[in-house]
Amino acid sequence: MTRECPMPHCLAKDAQDAIDLHIIDTTSLDDWLAGQDESVHDWVRLNGFSGKLGQTLLVPADGDRAVIALAGYGTAAKRARGHFPLASAATKLPEGTYRIASGLPEDMAETECLGWLLSGYRFDRYKSKSDKVVALVPPQGVDADKVAILAEAETMIRDLVNTPASDMSPRHLAEAATALAEEHGAEITTIVGDDLLERNFPLIHTVGRAAATPPRLIDMRWGASGPKLTLVGKGVCFDTGGLNLKPGSSMSLMKKDMGGAAHVLGIARMIMAMKLPIRLRVLIPAVENSVSGSSFRPGDILASRKGLTVENNNTDAEGRLVLADALALASEDKPDLILSMATLTGAARVAVGPDIAPFYTDDDGDALALSAAGARVDDPVWRMPFHEAYETRIEPANADLDNAPSGGFAGSITAALFLRRFVSDARYVHFDIYAWQPSNAPARPLGGVGTGARAVFDALPHMLKL
């Protein structure tokens, strides 16, 4: 049974009345037309269909021949310049059910089915919804349930990131995690407010104490056997910059600063829905970095769960502070792998732009697995270095660590080095993601977007030797 899709575009079981859809590469149009009867040839030429990426054309019925549909697939060079090329046509087809009849490369079938689903994504929580349904019968060999699970996880990531902070506070984020846990039979606990101090999470409390909604640490567990994986996600639900207040132009997108939390919840959804044989733990420090009389200050020396002291030289470098306590807790459980995801630095965006998820690891095998997975599922990632020579940059005169080294160089690397100081006795991978699509593209509308989540999920069997 094919799973229901939460979006207007969906996958369908084989249907007698499905319209045959031919995927036409620009360079193969003449060869395809050579195998058609004259009426089809003339209709295609008359309507100016060239196979250009995103073009669509319905060829009407003629006698006993049923209607067929064409979708332009462009050229290989054009397809390489974006993601989900079939999605650009999916949005232009009229309502109905379609079956791939020819032209879709076998190695792209799963990715293009996912793109078909995601092409129907709209963040419509605050708007009226469309009733148009465009369904696709997945090609032979495509696991429709898996594709639907990937789409559900991506939808959740996008919805969480897109939701404004007024409806996505630390409390709301904890509620979203709880709903996911209940759906899949996971255990979940939350440490809130001053209890963080009692339980020795001083950095999480320090960053979040100025907000009206108390900070909290979300802790979800699932699975009874297999290797132990702990996912840690930055859950800064809104970031004003604190007393080092951001300018308005830099604050406008800060509802997305919990993108790391959204991503680890999305990966957790994939893992639990696909029933991977692992022991999963998800840790999310959820805070708002706000301004009030109790805000932490530049120059404060802060205590951490691990015992390391941190000289706070910028209250806008708060994400690494809350992650530090969560990573220290993650290490105490001695998992086989710790993986963190965070919208951590603008330096990462300068380095690779919004489309690529940069990651850090000391393990060459993990790096190869992630890079191969990113290429395989069209979710690009790029390895960055834990450059040892920069360790001195995060060592100030008055404390063990500096959360915001001066100079402006290597900002993403120094942040990653800072986080690594709080990990003990575990392989560690850190992702510094953007979690935002800056302009409309096929299956990727402007707004929150998954970056690196599918690559991580695809790589896990290799990384954990499942």
Side-chain angles (χ1 to χ4, degrees), residues 21-372:
L21 178 64
H22 297 270
I23 314 301
I24 309 294
D25 184 294
T26 302
T27 61
S28 65
L29 176 61
D30 290 341
D31 291 339
W32 185 83
L33 286 173
Q36 308 302 312
D37 60 38
E38 185 175 354
S39 62
V40 173
H41 184 282
D42 290 347
W43 182 263
V44 171
R45 293 304 190 195
L46 179 66
N47 283 277
F49 183 85
S50 64
K52 181 181 177 181
L53 191 64
Q55 266 190 312
T56 60
L57 180 66
L58 289 183
V59 181
D62 180 15
D64 294 332
R65 180 177 54 79
V67 65
I68 62 175
L70 309 183
Y73 210 47
T75 63
K78 288 289 188 182
R79 293 193 295 274
R81 299 182 71 173
H83 304 277
F84 307 120
L86 181 58
S88 60
T91 57
K92 300 172 186 174
L93 290 167
E95 184 168 12
T97 300
Y98 297 84
R99 178 194 301 110
I100 303 294
S102 69
L104 183 63
E106 185 176 344
D107 64 344
M108 289 297 294
E110 182 176 295
T111 297
E112 291 291 31
C113 285
L114 176 62
W116 183 283
L117 297 187
L118 295 178
S119 67
Y121 175 81
R122 303 289 184 273
F123 181 62
D124 53 13
R125 175 172 176 172
Y126 304 96
K127 301 178 70 173
S128 58
K129 297 174 173 58
S130 170
D131 293 327
K132 176 183 173 182
V133 176
V134 183
L136 179 69
V137 178
Q140 192 73 25
V142 171
D143 185 340
D145 284 346
K146 177 185 175 184
V147 173
I149 287 167
L150 296 177
E152 290 165 2
E154 174 68 17
T155 297
M156 183 179 71
I157 290 170
R158 295 181 182 186
D159 283 350
L160 289 173
V161 173
N162 284 328
T163 301
S166 54
D167 290 322
M168 190 48 62
S169 68
R171 176 177 62 82
H172 293 112
L173 184 55
E175 290 171 354
T178 299
L180 179 64
E182 291 175 347
E183 179 182 348
H184 293 281
E187 298 176 358
I188 190 164
T189 60
T190 307
I191 305 169
V192 182
D194 289 344
D195 286 347
L196 290 164
L197 294 176
E198 294 295 324
R199 301 282 293 275
N200 192 25
F201 297 101
L203 288 176
I204 299 173
H205 183 273
T206 294
V207 172
R209 71 192 183 199
T213 304
R216 61 205 65 208
L217 177 64
I218 302 162
D219 187 348
M220 183 170 71
R221 293 176 183 264
W222 175 89
S225 62
K228 295 167 70 172
L229 167 67
T230 299
L231 303 175
V232 182
K234 175 186 171 184
V236 178
C237 294
F238 195 81
D239 180 19
T240 66
L243 292 178
N244 291 111
L245 194 68
K246 294 176 182 287
S249 59
S250 298
M251 209 185 298
S252 59
L253 283 184
M254 283 301 99
K255 68 177 183 179
K256 79 174 185 69
D257 213 19
M258 40 62 66
H263 275 66
V264 297
L265 289 174
I267 296 169
R269 177 182 282 278
M270 297 178 207
I271 289 169
M272 294 187 293
M274 292 296 293
K275 296 179 169 53
L276 294 192
I278 64 176
R279 286 174 286 172
L280 172 67
R281 189 179 192 185
V282 179
L283 295 172
I284 297 173
V287 303
E288 291 181 25
N289 187 18
S290 298
V291 178
S292 75
S294 60
S295 296
F296 68 123
R297 297 163 292 266
D300 284 353
I301 304 293
L302 308 176
S304 73
R305 180 178 184 84
K306 192 173 181 180
L308 297 172
T309 56
V310 180
E311 184 173 340
N312 177 54
N313 283 311
N314 192 321
T315 62
D316 198 20
E318 84 299 330
R320 68 201 70 183
L321 298 178
V322 298
L323 287 170
D325 272 356
L327 288 169
L329 174 63
S331 298
E332 293 164 17
D333 203 29
K334 296 189 176 0
D336 297 285
L337 176 66
I338 297 174
L339 187 145
S340 62
M341 302 192 86
T343 51
L344 205 62
T345 72
R349 303 293 69 72
V350 172
V352 298
D355 198 37
I356 301 170
F359 70 93
Y360 295 81
T361 179
D362 288 319
D363 190 291
D364 291 340
D366 288 345
L368 288 171
L370 286 165
S371 296

